[in-house]
Amino acid sequence: MEKLFTQNALVVILSLTVISPLFWSFFEGSLSFVIYLFLLFIVWVFYLYRVAAKIEEEE
Amino acid sequence: MTLLLIAIATVYLGLIFGAAWFFEKRLNHIGFKKWMPYIYALAIAVYCTAWTFYGSIGRAAESGFDFLLIYIGPTLALFLWYPIARKLYYLKVHQGIGSLADLLSARYGKDATLGKLVATFSLIGVLPYISLQIKAISESFTILSAGDIPFDLGFSLRDPALYVTLVMVVFTILFGTRYVQNNRPKAGLIGTIAFESLFKLIAFVVVGIIGLNSFLKDNRFAAALDDMANQTVDLPPADWVSILLISAFSFMLLPRQFQMGVVENTSIKNIPKALWLVPLYMLILSLFVVPFALMGPSLAPGTNPDFYLLSLAQLTGGSGAAALAFLGGLSAATSMIIVSTLALANMFSTHVLVPQIVWNQEESLERRIIGLRRWAIVGILLLAFLYYHYIALNDSLVSIGMVSFAAISQFAPAFLGALFWKQAHRKGAIASISAGFGIWFYFLVLPEILLLFNAGPGFLGALAPQTIAAGMGMSILSAACIISLLLNALLFVGISINLEASQEEENQATLFVDAQSLLSKDEAPELYKGSAPFPDIKSLLTNFLGVQRTERVLYRYATYHNIDWDLSPTADSRMIGYAERLLSEAIGPASAKIMISSVVQREDLSRNEVLGILEESQKVLKLNRELSKRGDQLRAASEELQLAHDKLQHLTDLKDEFLYTVTHELRTPLTAIRTQAELIEDDPEMPEEDRQRFLSNMVQDCDRLTRLIGNVLDLEKFESGNQKLSLRSIDIGELLKDTVKQFQALAKKKGHLLECEISKPLPPTYGDIDRLAQVLHNLIGNALKYADASAGKVLVTAYQLDQNLKVNIQDNGKGIPEADRELVFDKFYQVRNQTRRKPTGSGLGLAISKNIILMHKGRIWIEENHEGGTRISFTLPLYQAEQALKETKTLPHA
């Protein structure tokens, strides 16, 4: 379980990095950035779904 | 439209009362429990309020993409939420935690000041947020009524929000204050909030699809998308940090979130599903925000951007869509008002009001505590309405929400320290929260108050919040968040590492930080010594919990611990701890500690004693786990033993049955032989013809006996594994033809037609020709026996099927019922089956045939025969060499 949450903490840091102002200049306009954020959102939901499944399995 | 709005709002409010009644009695219902993880996740979605429903579109229209950060913050918090939520659940159960104020007060030495501080600051911080919901309801009425009936917004009897607020007062009192314990889950409440979350989601999606469908046909939408595509991504980094941070903290710490996520949680198993369902909910809810924000300025110029959803719903989907959008907003607002008011009333009454009446009085207080909570609900909603009237009317929904988020985030350092840092100190928590709130108030509330008195920012000179924020190059909200949280965290850490905690605070710190290992069992360790007269404890509990509940909990406790209060009238430290937890659920940890201290002779424990208790507790926990594991292993072994016993019993029954049947079968011909021999012996003058007939019968009976004994011996050899096969290469086709030829005379005698059809020569295989001939004799003999008596027909066919030879023997008799097809291969099946005419034969033929075929690694079974009659089939694998047959594993019986 500890390993899973260390991994989650790393995902949070990575996620914050890829949505941080450092990355904004890679997008030519707001629209593409919003689409990028929505795609990331889908990835997060799917990842959390996997995390929940693992927790349910272990508990 | 106005009357329609009033009507549907009334029906909707009636519906949520109905939903609450429906759910109220179903907390322990199996169906409710099954859906509880989903209901729990939807209840946590109370995070999405009218601000989300209406305000996120306004935010997107004014500031671009940053509305998404309000959802991304909580989503990233959910990555780390599980260990926190699990710990909070244990603390709720074992420490009687019913609010954030309870949690922080209990953790920091059951400190009354901290409880009061958190309750008061929460009230001040969240009040604007409740008023925001009232404002949203009021303005949505106004926008959709379009002046049909002149509404007066604010403190007026003509303001519809006033009536909705009054209904919320009634609802919250009815379904939120039923029990004196404030940490007890309330099914009516959680079910209704989940229903409202689902309703607002459906409403938003339906209105969103209708709107998007219309926008896609409008050239202005494409143009707006082009504009957006050309706009650069622009947001001050300070805003980015502060919005993410305060939305993540608020998702965990807002009173309504704590109420739904911790207090109303019925099981630790509910948490994992919420981890992904809540972000999914927020994702769906934000899908249509951008299209509405883009089209708002074109389609509804002059409208407040916060209410583009309503205006555009009316334009694109007519009155129906507008009414649905209105109801979605109403559900978002009402759910937030209900839960927030309840949570604040619990906190405020428990930590601020209740101590004033309980510390000095001894009369029965159960009803008075509930009464105080109800008055607190009325008071909070009244204050929220006043705030809405005097301050909130001129602000946007999002700006009011952000102010509350920033206030609640001030609890974050003390909250995280409480759960994960043993050295976190009470004074550090009090100082950090106070300082954080002070800065929050100065930056975000004071300017609003000054405006009320017509004093501008210049009133504070160079220290004006606006001036400071401008100097830092950020918005006033970001400046407030960053300065307050930085100072807050620094003070908390700085003071905590320089002060030593009291023994009680240290004990509580250990329990909270190690909650996972110390509290995940049925009973928490008691970290103090003490005793009290049981009648005093009982009297104290009766005062606060009422007679019935006190009797019930004490009876349950006595039964669980096998205690007779008449024989042992002294409450030990374990009982005192239990009583303190029960009191804490009603009056908070600080008051509970004071009340318990009034009747208990408590002795302080030394540090070594505390460590000893904790170590013991962890050992007991480990032992319990091992015992539980052993118990599971024993249960599994016991089940295996039971299975083996059942199997042995079955085999014994079979053996008994077999012996009974064999002796019965032996006795019948023996009796006949004896009777006929006696007749011959008794009558020496018997005619020669009769004598010969009797002697012939006796010989036949002797043959039958010999055959039966031979079959029994054969079967015994097969079943014991002593029977050996004499293997050699055989031609099954020839064997079939020979056997059929031998039976032709019998068939002719019976008047039956016996035919053998082999379409093409069969390949040779290895087998025991005598034993296979025995099988064919049994099967063809049976077929002739059971064929139709008047026009009997038996057909024998054989052919190659893949790597097997398949032989079918088919008759045109009555056939075998499907249920008996497996059973006919049992020993003496025909003897046991008394409902059928008893045929001649030993009843062992098919059992022996089955054994012979199995020894050849083949299969034998009764095949479905649509032409009527019986068709027995068997297969024999094709072997190229004798060794191959010996090495092949036996196939399961068909």
Side-chain angles (χ1 to χ4, degrees), chain A residues 8 11-12 19-20 24 29-31 33 38 41 47-49 52 55-56 59, chain B residues 65 75 79 82-83 86 228-229 231-232 235 240 272-273 275-276 279 283 286:
Chain A
N8 282 0
V11 174
V12 171
I19 62 168
S20 71
W24 296 354
S30 291
L31 183 63
F33 187 62
F38 272 110
F41 222 126
Y47 181 84
L48 284 167
Y49 169 77
I55 293 170
E56 283 174 332
E59 298 284 317
Chain B
F65 74 91
T75 300
F79 278 79
Y82 185 72
R86 188 173 52 176
M228 191 180 175
Q231 277 170 8
T232 52
L235 182 74
W240 178 84
K273 286 237 170 3
L275 296 184
W276 63 275
L283 172 65
S286 53

mmCIF file of all heavy atoms in Angstrom, chain A residues 8 11-12 19-20 24 29-31 33 38 41 47-49 52 55-56 59, chain B residues 65 75 79 82-83 86 228-229 231-232 235 240 272-273 275-276 279 283 286:
data_model
loop_
_atom_site.group_PDB
_atom_site.id
_atom_site.type_symbol
_atom_site.label_atom_id
_atom_site.label_comp_id
_atom_site.label_asym_id
_atom_site.label_seq_id
_atom_site.Cartn_x
_atom_site.Cartn_y
_atom_site.Cartn_z
ATOM 1 N N ASN A 8 1.597 7.336 -6.250
ATOM 2 C CA ASN A 8 0.578 8.369 -6.460
ATOM 3 C C ASN A 8 1.146 9.765 -6.230
ATOM 4 O O ASN A 8 0.823 10.699 -6.971
ATOM 5 C CB ASN A 8 -0.599 8.156 -5.502
ATOM 6 C CG ASN A 8 -1.506 7.049 -5.984
ATOM 7 O OD1 ASN A 8 -1.248 6.448 -7.019
ATOM 8 N ND2 ASN A 8 -2.537 6.770 -5.234
ATOM 9 N N VAL A 11 2.974 10.771 -9.186
ATOM 10 C CA VAL A 11 2.050 11.142 -10.278
ATOM 11 C C VAL A 11 1.521 12.563 -10.060
ATOM 12 O O VAL A 11 1.392 13.339 -11.015
ATOM 13 C CB VAL A 11 0.877 10.123 -10.368
ATOM 14 C CG1 VAL A 11 -0.158 10.589 -11.386
ATOM 15 C CG2 VAL A 11 1.393 8.755 -10.754
ATOM 16 N N VAL A 12 1.250 12.917 -8.808
ATOM 17 C CA VAL A 12 0.761 14.278 -8.513
ATOM 18 C C VAL A 12 1.831 15.312 -8.894
ATOM 19 O O VAL A 12 1.525 16.315 -9.552
ATOM 20 C CB VAL A 12 0.390 14.413 -7.011
ATOM 21 C CG1 VAL A 12 0.101 15.871 -6.653
ATOM 22 C CG2 VAL A 12 -0.822 13.556 -6.689
ATOM 23 N N ILE A 19 1.084 20.631 -16.009
ATOM 24 C CA ILE A 19 0.060 21.684 -16.192
ATOM 25 C C ILE A 19 0.576 23.043 -15.691
ATOM 26 O O ILE A 19 -0.161 24.021 -15.636
ATOM 27 C CB ILE A 19 -1.269 21.336 -15.477
ATOM 28 C CG1 ILE A 19 -1.079 21.205 -13.968
ATOM 29 C CG2 ILE A 19 -1.901 20.089 -16.050
ATOM 30 C CD1 ILE A 19 -2.389 21.150 -13.198
ATOM 31 N N SER A 20 1.838 23.070 -15.313
ATOM 32 C CA SER A 20 2.390 24.309 -14.741
ATOM 33 C C SER A 20 2.687 25.345 -15.829
ATOM 34 O O SER A 20 2.728 25.014 -17.024
ATOM 35 C CB SER A 20 3.680 23.988 -13.997
ATOM 36 O OG SER A 20 4.665 23.664 -14.936
ATOM 37 N N TRP A 24 2.958 26.132 -20.549
ATOM 38 C CA TRP A 24 1.955 26.911 -21.279
ATOM 39 C C TRP A 24 2.468 27.403 -22.633
ATOM 40 O O TRP A 24 1.687 27.504 -23.578
ATOM 41 C CB TRP A 24 1.497 28.113 -20.442
ATOM 42 C CG TRP A 24 0.787 27.696 -19.179
ATOM 43 C CD1 TRP A 24 0.452 26.421 -18.830
ATOM 44 C CD2 TRP A 24 0.339 28.531 -18.117
ATOM 45 N NE1 TRP A 24 -0.171 26.408 -17.614
ATOM 46 C CE2 TRP A 24 -0.256 27.705 -17.134
ATOM 47 C CE3 TRP A 24 0.387 29.907 -17.877
ATOM 48 C CZ2 TRP A 24 -0.804 28.183 -15.962
ATOM 49 C CZ3 TRP A 24 -0.160 30.389 -16.697
ATOM 50 C CH2 TRP A 24 -0.759 29.540 -15.752
ATOM 51 N N GLY A 29 -2.630 28.274 -28.400
ATOM 52 C CA GLY A 29 -3.813 29.026 -27.982
ATOM 53 C C GLY A 29 -4.507 28.360 -26.811
ATOM 54 O O GLY A 29 -4.215 27.216 -26.456
ATOM 55 N N SER A 30 -5.456 29.097 -26.223
ATOM 56 C CA SER A 30 -6.175 28.591 -25.052
ATOM 57 C C SER A 30 -6.947 27.322 -25.361
ATOM 58 O O SER A 30 -7.065 26.434 -24.507
ATOM 59 C CB SER A 30 -7.175 29.635 -24.564
ATOM 60 O OG SER A 30 -6.495 30.714 -24.031
ATOM 61 N N LEU A 31 -7.507 27.250 -26.592
ATOM 62 C CA LEU A 31 -8.364 26.107 -26.929
ATOM 63 C C LEU A 31 -7.581 24.797 -26.826
ATOM 64 O O LEU A 31 -8.042 23.824 -26.210
ATOM 65 C CB LEU A 31 -8.937 26.285 -28.338
ATOM 66 C CG LEU A 31 -9.906 25.201 -28.764
ATOM 67 C CD1 LEU A 31 -11.154 25.188 -27.880
ATOM 68 C CD2 LEU A 31 -10.333 25.384 -30.221
ATOM 69 N N PHE A 33 -4.953 24.228 -25.144
ATOM 70 C CA PHE A 33 -4.573 23.966 -23.756
ATOM 71 C C PHE A 33 -5.755 23.377 -22.965
ATOM 72 O O PHE A 33 -5.584 22.451 -22.174
ATOM 73 C CB PHE A 33 -4.086 25.260 -23.084
ATOM 74 C CG PHE A 33 -3.533 25.036 -21.711
ATOM 75 C CD1 PHE A 33 -2.408 24.231 -21.512
ATOM 76 C CD2 PHE A 33 -4.131 25.600 -20.596
ATOM 77 C CE1 PHE A 33 -1.899 24.009 -20.236
ATOM 78 C CE2 PHE A 33 -3.629 25.379 -19.314
ATOM 79 C CZ PHE A 33 -2.515 24.575 -19.144
ATOM 80 N N PHE A 38 -8.412 18.616 -20.553
ATOM 81 C CA PHE A 38 -9.493 17.612 -20.519
ATOM 82 C C PHE A 38 -8.942 16.200 -20.747
ATOM 83 O O PHE A 38 -9.368 15.245 -20.088
ATOM 84 C CB PHE A 38 -10.563 17.930 -21.564
ATOM 85 C CG PHE A 38 -11.631 18.853 -21.040
ATOM 86 C CD1 PHE A 38 -11.746 20.153 -21.488
ATOM 87 C CD2 PHE A 38 -12.520 18.413 -20.076
ATOM 88 C CE1 PHE A 38 -12.716 21.011 -20.991
ATOM 89 C CE2 PHE A 38 -13.501 19.255 -19.569
ATOM 90 C CZ PHE A 38 -13.602 20.560 -20.028
ATOM 91 N N PHE A 41 -7.366 15.049 -17.706
ATOM 92 C CA PHE A 41 -8.413 14.717 -16.741
ATOM 93 C C PHE A 41 -8.877 13.272 -16.952
ATOM 94 O O PHE A 41 -9.060 12.500 -15.998
ATOM 95 C CB PHE A 41 -9.597 15.674 -16.939
ATOM 96 C CG PHE A 41 -10.192 16.170 -15.648
ATOM 97 C CD1 PHE A 41 -10.329 17.526 -15.406
ATOM 98 C CD2 PHE A 41 -10.618 15.271 -14.678
ATOM 99 C CE1 PHE A 41 -10.869 17.989 -14.222
ATOM 100 C CE2 PHE A 41 -11.168 15.725 -13.495
ATOM 101 C CZ PHE A 41 -11.294 17.085 -13.266
ATOM 102 N N TYR A 47 -6.571 6.465 -14.209
ATOM 103 C CA TYR A 47 -5.521 6.045 -13.269
ATOM 104 C C TYR A 47 -6.120 5.834 -11.867
ATOM 105 O O TYR A 47 -5.825 4.842 -11.197
ATOM 106 C CB TYR A 47 -4.426 7.113 -13.222
ATOM 107 C CG TYR A 47 -3.285 6.754 -12.294
ATOM 108 C CD1 TYR A 47 -2.238 5.944 -12.731
ATOM 109 C CD2 TYR A 47 -3.264 7.201 -10.982
ATOM 110 C CE1 TYR A 47 -1.208 5.595 -11.868
ATOM 111 C CE2 TYR A 47 -2.240 6.858 -10.124
ATOM 112 C CZ TYR A 47 -1.209 6.057 -10.573
ATOM 113 O OH TYR A 47 -0.199 5.705 -9.715
ATOM 114 N N LEU A 48 -6.982 6.759 -11.456
ATOM 115 C CA LEU A 48 -7.599 6.631 -10.123
ATOM 116 C C LEU A 48 -8.514 5.407 -10.058
ATOM 117 O O LEU A 48 -8.644 4.766 -9.012
ATOM 118 C CB LEU A 48 -8.383 7.906 -9.780
ATOM 119 C CG LEU A 48 -7.509 9.085 -9.362
ATOM 120 C CD1 LEU A 48 -8.314 10.384 -9.355
ATOM 121 C CD2 LEU A 48 -6.905 8.860 -7.984
ATOM 122 N N TYR A 49 -9.127 5.106 -11.191
ATOM 123 C CA TYR A 49 -9.970 3.896 -11.252
ATOM 124 C C TYR A 49 -9.109 2.654 -10.979
ATOM 125 O O TYR A 49 -9.496 1.760 -10.220
ATOM 126 C CB TYR A 49 -10.623 3.823 -12.640
ATOM 127 C CG TYR A 49 -11.301 2.511 -12.932
ATOM 128 C CD1 TYR A 49 -12.550 2.223 -12.384
ATOM 129 C CD2 TYR A 49 -10.705 1.556 -13.742
ATOM 130 C CE1 TYR A 49 -13.172 1.019 -12.634
ATOM 131 C CE2 TYR A 49 -11.308 0.349 -13.992
ATOM 132 C CZ TYR A 49 -12.549 0.083 -13.446
ATOM 133 O OH TYR A 49 -13.156 -1.124 -13.692
ATOM 134 N N ALA A 52 -8.123 2.574 -7.300
ATOM 135 C CA ALA A 52 -9.247 2.121 -6.458
ATOM 136 C C ALA A 52 -9.400 0.606 -6.564
ATOM 137 O O ALA A 52 -9.632 -0.072 -5.557
ATOM 138 C CB ALA A 52 -10.527 2.825 -6.899
ATOM 139 N N ILE A 55 -6.778 -1.026 -4.467
ATOM 140 C CA ILE A 55 -7.079 -0.911 -3.034
ATOM 141 C C ILE A 55 -8.170 -1.914 -2.652
ATOM 142 O O ILE A 55 -8.056 -2.620 -1.653
ATOM 143 C CB ILE A 55 -7.530 0.525 -2.682
ATOM 144 C CG1 ILE A 55 -6.370 1.497 -2.865
ATOM 145 C CG2 ILE A 55 -8.046 0.597 -1.259
ATOM 146 C CD1 ILE A 55 -6.757 2.959 -2.769
ATOM 147 N N GLU A 56 -9.208 -1.989 -3.468
ATOM 148 C CA GLU A 56 -10.311 -2.919 -3.168
ATOM 149 C C GLU A 56 -9.813 -4.357 -3.140
ATOM 150 O O GLU A 56 -10.243 -5.164 -2.326
ATOM 151 C CB GLU A 56 -11.423 -2.757 -4.203
ATOM 152 C CG GLU A 56 -12.262 -1.523 -3.945
ATOM 153 C CD GLU A 56 -13.279 -1.233 -5.025
ATOM 154 O OE1 GLU A 56 -13.042 -1.612 -6.205
ATOM 155 O OE2 GLU A 56 -14.290 -0.619 -4.724
ATOM 156 N N GLU A 59 -7.604 -4.700 0.153
ATOM 157 C CA GLU A 59 -8.332 -4.612 1.427
ATOM 158 C C GLU A 59 -9.240 -5.807 1.560
ATOM 159 O O GLU A 59 -10.111 -5.918 2.235
ATOM 160 C CB GLU A 59 -9.121 -3.302 1.497
ATOM 161 C CG GLU A 59 -8.263 -2.073 1.445
ATOM 162 C CD GLU A 59 -7.529 -1.769 2.746
ATOM 163 O OE1 GLU A 59 -8.135 -1.872 3.802
ATOM 164 O OE2 GLU A 59 -6.328 -1.487 2.694
ATOM 165 N N PHE B 65 -9.369 29.467 -18.957
ATOM 166 C CA PHE B 65 -9.379 28.056 -18.560
ATOM 167 C C PHE B 65 -9.316 27.822 -17.056
ATOM 168 O O PHE B 65 -9.485 26.705 -16.597
ATOM 169 C CB PHE B 65 -8.200 27.337 -19.217
ATOM 170 C CG PHE B 65 -6.878 27.672 -18.595
ATOM 171 C CD1 PHE B 65 -6.380 26.888 -17.552
ATOM 172 C CD2 PHE B 65 -6.128 28.764 -19.011
ATOM 173 C CE1 PHE B 65 -5.172 27.194 -16.966
ATOM 174 C CE2 PHE B 65 -4.925 29.075 -18.419
ATOM 175 C CZ PHE B 65 -4.440 28.287 -17.397
ATOM 176 N N THR B 75 -9.005 16.834 -7.707
ATOM 177 C CA THR B 75 -8.659 15.562 -8.350
ATOM 178 C C THR B 75 -7.259 15.122 -7.927
ATOM 179 O O THR B 75 -7.034 13.953 -7.591
ATOM 180 C CB THR B 75 -8.733 15.703 -9.889
ATOM 181 O OG1 THR B 75 -10.060 16.072 -10.218
ATOM 182 C CG2 THR B 75 -8.381 14.409 -10.591
ATOM 183 N N PHE B 79 -5.645 11.740 -5.261
ATOM 184 C CA PHE B 79 -4.550 10.771 -5.420
ATOM 185 C C PHE B 79 -3.973 10.399 -4.046
ATOM 186 O O PHE B 79 -3.458 9.320 -3.855
ATOM 187 C CB PHE B 79 -3.435 11.365 -6.282
ATOM 188 C CG PHE B 79 -3.699 11.267 -7.757
ATOM 189 C CD1 PHE B 79 -4.549 12.146 -8.396
ATOM 190 C CD2 PHE B 79 -3.086 10.273 -8.521
ATOM 191 C CE1 PHE B 79 -4.786 12.058 -9.750
ATOM 192 C CE2 PHE B 79 -3.326 10.172 -9.880
ATOM 193 C CZ PHE B 79 -4.178 11.075 -10.492
ATOM 194 N N TYR B 82 -6.798 8.572 0.050
ATOM 195 C CA TYR B 82 -7.193 7.314 0.701
ATOM 196 C C TYR B 82 -6.604 7.133 2.103
ATOM 197 O O TYR B 82 -7.349 6.857 3.049
ATOM 198 C CB TYR B 82 -6.885 6.112 -0.194
ATOM 199 C CG TYR B 82 -7.395 4.828 0.410
ATOM 200 C CD1 TYR B 82 -8.755 4.551 0.442
ATOM 201 C CD2 TYR B 82 -6.521 3.914 0.990
ATOM 202 C CE1 TYR B 82 -9.246 3.405 1.020
ATOM 203 C CE2 TYR B 82 -7.012 2.756 1.582
ATOM 204 C CZ TYR B 82 -8.360 2.509 1.588
ATOM 205 O OH TYR B 82 -8.843 1.377 2.174
ATOM 206 N N PRO B 83 -5.267 7.288 2.287
ATOM 207 C CA PRO B 83 -4.750 7.095 3.651
ATOM 208 C C PRO B 83 -5.311 8.107 4.645
ATOM 209 O O PRO B 83 -5.511 7.783 5.815
ATOM 210 C CB PRO B 83 -3.234 7.273 3.506
ATOM 211 C CG PRO B 83 -2.982 7.732 2.130
ATOM 212 C CD PRO B 83 -4.200 7.576 1.317
ATOM 213 N N ARG B 86 -9.041 7.059 5.345
ATOM 214 C CA ARG B 86 -9.083 5.841 6.158
ATOM 215 C C ARG B 86 -8.794 6.187 7.630
ATOM 216 O O ARG B 86 -9.483 5.749 8.541
ATOM 217 C CB ARG B 86 -8.044 4.856 5.624
ATOM 218 C CG ARG B 86 -8.112 3.492 6.252
ATOM 219 C CD ARG B 86 -7.188 2.549 5.559
ATOM 220 N NE ARG B 86 -5.828 3.075 5.462
ATOM 221 C CZ ARG B 86 -4.813 2.392 4.966
ATOM 222 N NH1 ARG B 86 -4.993 1.193 4.509
ATOM 223 N NH2 ARG B 86 -3.608 2.925 4.908
ATOM 224 N N MET B 228 -10.708 31.729 -29.559
ATOM 225 C CA MET B 228 -10.104 31.076 -28.387
ATOM 226 C C MET B 228 -8.795 30.384 -28.779
ATOM 227 O O MET B 228 -7.820 30.390 -28.016
ATOM 228 C CB MET B 228 -11.082 30.050 -27.803
ATOM 229 C CG MET B 228 -10.661 29.533 -26.448
ATOM 230 S SD MET B 228 -11.825 28.342 -25.827
ATOM 231 C CE MET B 228 -10.975 27.827 -24.340
ATOM 232 N N ALA B 229 -8.817 29.794 -29.979
ATOM 233 C CA ALA B 229 -7.606 29.108 -30.445
ATOM 234 C C ALA B 229 -6.442 30.083 -30.621
ATOM 235 O O ALA B 229 -5.276 29.705 -30.509
ATOM 236 C CB ALA B 229 -7.898 28.376 -31.752
ATOM 237 N N GLN B 231 -6.109 32.885 -28.783
ATOM 238 C CA GLN B 231 -5.755 33.564 -27.523
ATOM 239 C C GLN B 231 -4.619 32.819 -26.845
ATOM 240 O O GLN B 231 -4.607 31.590 -26.820
ATOM 241 C CB GLN B 231 -6.947 33.548 -26.563
ATOM 242 C CG GLN B 231 -7.947 34.644 -26.815
ATOM 243 C CD GLN B 231 -9.217 34.430 -26.010
ATOM 244 O OE1 GLN B 231 -9.275 33.549 -25.157
ATOM 245 N NE2 GLN B 231 -10.227 35.214 -26.322
ATOM 246 N N THR B 232 -3.694 33.549 -26.299
ATOM 247 C CA THR B 232 -2.592 32.863 -25.604
ATOM 248 C C THR B 232 -3.055 32.417 -24.224
ATOM 249 O O THR B 232 -3.980 32.984 -23.653
ATOM 250 C CB THR B 232 -1.376 33.802 -25.440
ATOM 251 O OG1 THR B 232 -1.852 35.003 -24.835
ATOM 252 C CG2 THR B 232 -0.720 34.094 -26.763
ATOM 253 N N LEU B 235 -2.368 33.307 -17.432
ATOM 254 C CA LEU B 235 -2.844 33.324 -16.047
ATOM 255 C C LEU B 235 -1.638 33.595 -15.172
ATOM 256 O O LEU B 235 -0.597 32.946 -15.338
ATOM 257 C CB LEU B 235 -3.448 31.949 -15.681
ATOM 258 C CG LEU B 235 -4.028 31.829 -14.275
ATOM 259 C CD1 LEU B 235 -5.358 32.578 -14.181
ATOM 260 C CD2 LEU B 235 -4.256 30.373 -13.910
ATOM 261 N N TRP B 240 -2.418 30.585 -10.392
ATOM 262 C CA TRP B 240 -2.391 29.137 -10.679
ATOM 263 C C TRP B 240 -2.105 28.363 -9.387
ATOM 264 O O TRP B 240 -2.822 27.423 -9.050
ATOM 265 C CB TRP B 240 -1.304 28.873 -11.738
ATOM 266 C CG TRP B 240 -1.124 27.443 -12.105
ATOM 267 C CD1 TRP B 240 -1.846 26.734 -13.012
ATOM 268 C CD2 TRP B 240 -0.133 26.545 -11.583
ATOM 269 N NE1 TRP B 240 -1.379 25.455 -13.088
ATOM 270 C CE2 TRP B 240 -0.329 25.302 -12.228
ATOM 271 C CE3 TRP B 240 0.895 26.661 -10.652
ATOM 272 C CZ2 TRP B 240 0.468 24.187 -11.964
ATOM 273 C CZ3 TRP B 240 1.680 25.547 -10.378
ATOM 274 C CH2 TRP B 240 1.472 24.337 -11.034
ATOM 275 N N PRO B 272 -12.765 3.750 -1.730
ATOM 276 C CA PRO B 272 -12.079 3.592 -3.021
ATOM 277 C C PRO B 272 -12.891 4.029 -4.240
ATOM 278 O O PRO B 272 -12.356 4.697 -5.129
ATOM 279 C CB PRO B 272 -11.778 2.088 -3.072
ATOM 280 C CG PRO B 272 -11.707 1.667 -1.646
ATOM 281 C CD PRO B 272 -12.708 2.515 -0.933
ATOM 282 N N LYS B 273 -14.180 3.711 -4.272
ATOM 283 C CA LYS B 273 -14.974 4.083 -5.468
ATOM 284 C C LYS B 273 -15.033 5.607 -5.634
ATOM 285 O O LYS B 273 -15.030 6.111 -6.760
ATOM 286 C CB LYS B 273 -16.383 3.512 -5.357
ATOM 287 C CG LYS B 273 -16.457 2.018 -5.594
ATOM 288 C CD LYS B 273 -17.399 1.655 -6.703
ATOM 289 C CE LYS B 273 -17.339 0.223 -7.144
ATOM 290 N NZ LYS B 273 -16.493 -0.729 -6.496
ATOM 291 N N LEU B 275 -12.774 7.637 -5.108
ATOM 292 C CA LEU B 275 -11.501 8.161 -5.638
ATOM 293 C C LEU B 275 -11.591 8.476 -7.123
ATOM 294 O O LEU B 275 -10.988 9.425 -7.600
ATOM 295 C CB LEU B 275 -10.368 7.153 -5.413
ATOM 296 C CG LEU B 275 -9.988 6.828 -3.964
ATOM 297 C CD1 LEU B 275 -8.804 5.893 -3.939
ATOM 298 C CD2 LEU B 275 -9.677 8.089 -3.180
ATOM 299 N N TRP B 276 -12.351 7.668 -7.870
ATOM 300 C CA TRP B 276 -12.437 7.947 -9.314
ATOM 301 C C TRP B 276 -13.812 8.470 -9.732
ATOM 302 O O TRP B 276 -13.935 9.179 -10.729
ATOM 303 C CB TRP B 276 -12.060 6.710 -10.132
ATOM 304 C CG TRP B 276 -12.956 5.523 -9.948
ATOM 305 C CD1 TRP B 276 -12.881 4.580 -8.975
ATOM 306 C CD2 TRP B 276 -14.071 5.144 -10.761
ATOM 307 N NE1 TRP B 276 -13.874 3.652 -9.121
ATOM 308 C CE2 TRP B 276 -14.614 3.960 -10.213
ATOM 309 C CE3 TRP B 276 -14.662 5.683 -11.906
ATOM 310 C CZ2 TRP B 276 -15.719 3.317 -10.769
ATOM 311 C CZ3 TRP B 276 -15.759 5.040 -12.456
ATOM 312 C CH2 TRP B 276 -16.268 3.856 -11.889
ATOM 313 N N PRO B 279 -13.883 12.561 -9.402
ATOM 314 C CA PRO B 279 -13.280 13.286 -10.537
ATOM 315 C C PRO B 279 -14.054 13.075 -11.842
ATOM 316 O O PRO B 279 -14.171 14.013 -12.641
ATOM 317 C CB PRO B 279 -11.885 12.667 -10.656
ATOM 318 C CG PRO B 279 -11.624 12.026 -9.373
ATOM 319 C CD PRO B 279 -12.931 11.649 -8.779
ATOM 320 N N LEU B 283 -15.469 15.969 -14.141
ATOM 321 C CA LEU B 283 -15.102 16.030 -15.558
ATOM 322 C C LEU B 283 -16.355 16.211 -16.423
ATOM 323 O O LEU B 283 -16.395 17.073 -17.306
ATOM 324 C CB LEU B 283 -14.361 14.732 -15.948
ATOM 325 C CG LEU B 283 -14.066 14.524 -17.418
ATOM 326 C CD1 LEU B 283 -13.096 15.575 -17.934
ATOM 327 C CD2 LEU B 283 -13.480 13.137 -17.681
ATOM 328 N N SER B 286 -17.894 19.589 -16.204
ATOM 329 C CA SER B 286 -17.177 20.729 -16.795
ATOM 330 C C SER B 286 -17.125 20.665 -18.329
ATOM 331 O O SER B 286 -16.601 21.578 -18.960
ATOM 332 C CB SER B 286 -15.753 20.805 -16.218
ATOM 333 O OG SER B 286 -15.117 19.583 -16.374
#
